Amino acid sequence: MRYLTFALGKGRLAKTALELFEKIGIQCEEMKDPGSRKLIFVNEERKLKFFLSKGPDVPTYVEYGAADIGIVGKDTILEEGRKLYEVLDLGFGKCNMCVCGPKASQELLNRGQLIRVATKYPNIAKDYFYNKKHQTVEIIKLNGSIELAPIVGLSEVIVDIVETGATLRENGLDVLEKICPLSARMVVNQVSMKMENERISEIIRDIRSIL
Ligand code: PRP
């Protein structure tokens, strides 16, 4: 039997994803060791492999078939636009993609002005402003701490994830427009879905039964 390989995004989602696998009897004890520098983990009994990668790389590994299955945020799926099947909403990591900024920027949004939008998600921001709102904006790609941008005058608004809203509150920013809800999803390589249909369907069924 060939190994089924899982790609998990490092960070917030990985821990909950591993707990989910444990609940359906898929153990990977080794992976929980915080001191380990190991990148790939094997469950010999079930012929499974797990690896951790940067979140935005998960859809890449899955599209090319280097991983059969991935656990990744909907934000990353939308941003990366890779060819894969999204098979399950896992119901954790719930948050929203939003346009945020100081209250004063609301007026600029309403008037459809040529504003600057800072974001880690240029494709999501483009799709929202160009295709949904038909508003021309200048998009500035950043890699983190996006909330800084309107504070220091880099942009009028940001497009970013809002979970608890604490980061916005502590920096005097507000949600100005909601783009879409997000959560962790299970994605599957398109060829694996056919070649390993039985094993993958069983995993999907088991996870669905505990959600
Ligand atoms: C994310 C996001 C916000 C924050 C939202 O950043 O970009 O900054 O979390 O969460 P909250 O609504 O609960 O405050 P993350 O911590 O992932 O790091 P980043 O700034 O490097 O993107």
Side-chain angles (χ1 to χ4, degrees):
M1 189 161 45
R2 84 182 255 285
Y3 285 95
L4 269 190
T5 302
F6 290 75
L8 310 183
K10 272 185 212 168
R12 297 185 189 207
L13 301 181
K15 192 168 162 269
T16 317
L18 285 177
E19 286 166 8
L20 199 70
F21 288 132
E22 272 177 23
K23 282 190 200 153
I24 63 163
I26 296 177
Q27 228 78 11
C28 199
E29 277 308 311
E30 258 192 308
M31 208 159 176
K32 291 193 285 185
D33 175 4
S36 173
R37 297 290 295 164
K38 221 170 143 172
L39 293 171
I40 187 143
F41 304 90
V42 183
N43 177 325
E44 281 300 344
E45 205 187 311
R46 307 264 313 245
K47 289 281 178 213
L48 302 172
K49 283 185 186 169
F50 297 86
F51 66 81
L52 287 174
S53 73
K54 289 269 187 190
D57 294 339
V58 169
T60 312
Y61 285 106
V62 173
E63 180 183 291
Y64 285 93
D68 301 287
I69 295 173
I71 306 291
V72 66
K74 179 70 177 175
D75 52 323
T76 305
I77 297 173
L78 291 171
E79 182 61 25
E80 296 299 314
R82 291 282 176 182
K83 270 195 235 111
L84 33 76
Y85 294 132
E86 185 185 317
V87 296
L88 263 185
D89 182 344
L90 299 170
F92 60 87
K94 282 192 180 162
C95 51
N96 287 291
M97 187 63 72
C98 299
V99 181
C100 311
K103 278 213 170 67
S105 291
Q106 184 72 63
E107 187 57 26
L108 305 175
L109 278 174
N110 296 349
R111 282 192 272 139
Q113 295 231 329
L114 177 56
I115 49 172
R116 284 179 297 188
V117 181
T119 186
K120 208 156 77 171
Y121 302 92
N123 293 326
I124 294 176
K126 254 180 237 159
D127 180 61
Y128 179 70
F129 280 102
Y130 295 179
N131 301 336
K132 299 215 175 70
K133 294 200 63 183
H134 306 289
Q135 178 175 356
T136 308
V137 296
E138 183 177 345
I139 292 172
I140 303 173
K141 161 87 200 267
L142 291 178
N143 294 292
S145 305
I146 315 299
E147 290 82 358
L148 261 177
I151 299 173
V152 299
L154 177 66
S155 71
E156 283 74 30
V157 299
I158 60 174
V159 164
D160 201 15
I161 287 173
V162 180
E163 191 178 359
T164 62
T167 312
L168 291 180
R169 267 195 305 281
E170 288 180 29
N171 292 289
L173 304 173
D174 288 292
V175 170
L176 304 177
E177 289 174 0
K178 230 165 112 173
I179 298 178
C180 64
L182 306 167
S183 57
R185 308 291 160 98
M186 180 167 155
V187 295
V188 178
N189 170 269
Q190 296 188 338
V191 176
S192 307
M193 197 66 210
K194 293 191 184 73
M195 303 301 285
E196 296 288 342
N197 189 270
E198 212 170 307
R199 289 169 82 196
I200 294 175
S201 296
E202 189 189 336
I203 292 168
I204 295 173
R205 231 181 1 258
D206 287 352
I207 294 180
R208 202 175 262 148
S209 75
I210 58 159
L211 288 178

